[in-house]
Amino acid sequence: MEETTVVVPTRDGLELQVYRWAPEGAPKAVIQVQHGLAEHAARYRRFGEALTGAGYLVYAPDGRGSGRTAHGDYGNWGPDGWPGWVDDLVQLNARIRHDNPGLPVGLFGHSMGSFATQNYLLDHSSDVDAVVLSGTGEVSGLADALGGDGPADLSAFNAPFENRTGFEWLSRDDAEVDKYVADPACGWVAPAPGDFASIKRAADPAALAGIREDLPILIVSGDHDPVAGPEAAGPQIVGERYRNAGVQAVTVKLYPGARHELLNETNRDEVTADIIAFFDASLA
């Protein structure tokens, strides 16, 4: 895997620092990766190696307020707040298509990146050819949980699990949890982005009706992921909303016993293989 970096300006004056991971030889398609809250794109290198090994070119940004883009000021969402985070997907996607004309583009969003993807698809489904939502859930509940004025408190997510570090809800793999805890660019707390309530638009049937019917969508979740809600209802609700909106190829796959970070779970090889198989089938 060849690693380079690019910079993508946002509409409100930030500069997204983006990893570009290239395969040997000509890529068959591009995968745009959007990470979650309180983490960064470098944590997806293992996933990037699997994707490039399968012939994909990968763009993975450090989102606003995160990683190298934050310059140490983690949780600074910029003037545009949540709508800016969603529009950052638009700006990066435009850069990808400009740099790689003619190549299909798949979009992978995890956790907060998956919620941004849910908003993004309402107006930009024609700009991607396949979508994977990982660690996702029902947007209204998230908006209510994180929409207060103070720092977002995720500690309740760990309530069903042992409390060795407070982040056991992420994965059953203790080594992966420990790496997260030891990473100064992970686990920070901050208020939700400005205008976070606009995330609820992804539950509006009229807005969902704008998503193109032929877009393949794969929703993956651990059935013990607290973000998914009781009995992992959240991802299933999202899938049903897309089907009710007329999207024809929607698959929801739940992994027994798995928690929030499927790409860092004990069954990560299975999950990665399933995602690559989906992209292979959808982007051919």
Side-chain angles (χ1 to χ4, degrees), residues 7-265:
V7 177
V8 176
T10 70
R11 68 183 181 187
D12 58 347
L14 306 179
E15 292 187 335
L16 298 177
Q17 306 298 312
V18 183
Y19 291 110
R20 182 183 182 275
W21 295 320
E24 294 184 8
K28 59 187 179 185
V30 185
I31 307 300
Q32 178 178 346
V33 173
Q34 192 70 28
H35 67 72
L37 179 67
E39 61 157 343
H40 54 93
R43 301 185 73 231
Y44 291 76
R45 275 200 182 93
R46 180 169 56 205
F47 185 47
E49 288 173 350
L51 288 170
T52 56
Y56 293 100
L57 175 62
V58 182
Y59 285 71
D62 283 337
R64 58 176 58 215
S66 309
R68 299 160 302 154
T69 298
H71 300 289
D73 190 10
Y74 301 124
N76 182 350
W77 307 122
D80 283 359
W82 179 251
W85 195 340
V86 176
D87 188 73
D88 293 347
L89 274 72
V90 179
Q91 303 306 322
L92 177 54
N93 181 272
R95 173 65 181 266
I96 289 170
R97 291 185 289 112
H98 176 271
D99 290 353
N100 307 277
L103 283 183
V105 179
L107 175 57
F108 173 90
H110 170 67
S111 194
M112 196 67 88
S114 77
F115 290 104
T117 298
Q118 288 191 44
N119 274 190
Y120 169 86
L121 291 178
L122 302 177
D123 302 302
H124 301 282
S125 64
S126 62
D127 293 332
V128 289
D129 300 287
V131 172
V132 176
L133 301 176
S134 165
T136 203
E138 205 283 307
V139 292
S140 298
L142 186 75
D144 293 339
L146 302 184
D149 294 332
D153 183 7
L154 305 182
S155 61
F157 286 155
N158 212 59
F161 309 107
E162 65 276 21
N163 195 35
R164 185 176 61 88
T165 69
F167 291 96
E168 280 64 42
W169 62 280
L170 296 178
S171 173
R172 294 167 292 181
D173 189 328
D174 287 348
E176 293 296 330
V177 172
D178 289 345
K179 284 194 288 186
Y180 180 91
V181 172
D183 189 339
C186 290
W188 39 267
V189 295
D195 196 17
F196 192 56
S198 63
I199 195 175
K200 292 184 179 181
R201 183 167 173 254
D204 179 1
L208 286 160
I211 299 175
R212 61 188 181 90
E213 296 180 353
D214 62 342
L215 179 65
I217 299 176
L218 172 64
I219 302 171
V220 292
S221 176
D223 71 356
H224 281 51
D225 180 358
V227 175
E231 300 182 355
Q236 299 173 77
I237 290 171
V238 174
E240 193 61 23
R241 281 176 177 162
Y242 289 137
R243 295 186 190 103
N244 290 341
V247 184
Q248 299 166 356
V250 180
T251 302
V252 179
K253 185 171 180 61
L254 303 178
Y255 294 89
R259 301 178 189 178
H260 185 58
E261 291 192 342
L262 288 174
L263 295 179
N264 294 322
E265 258 290 3

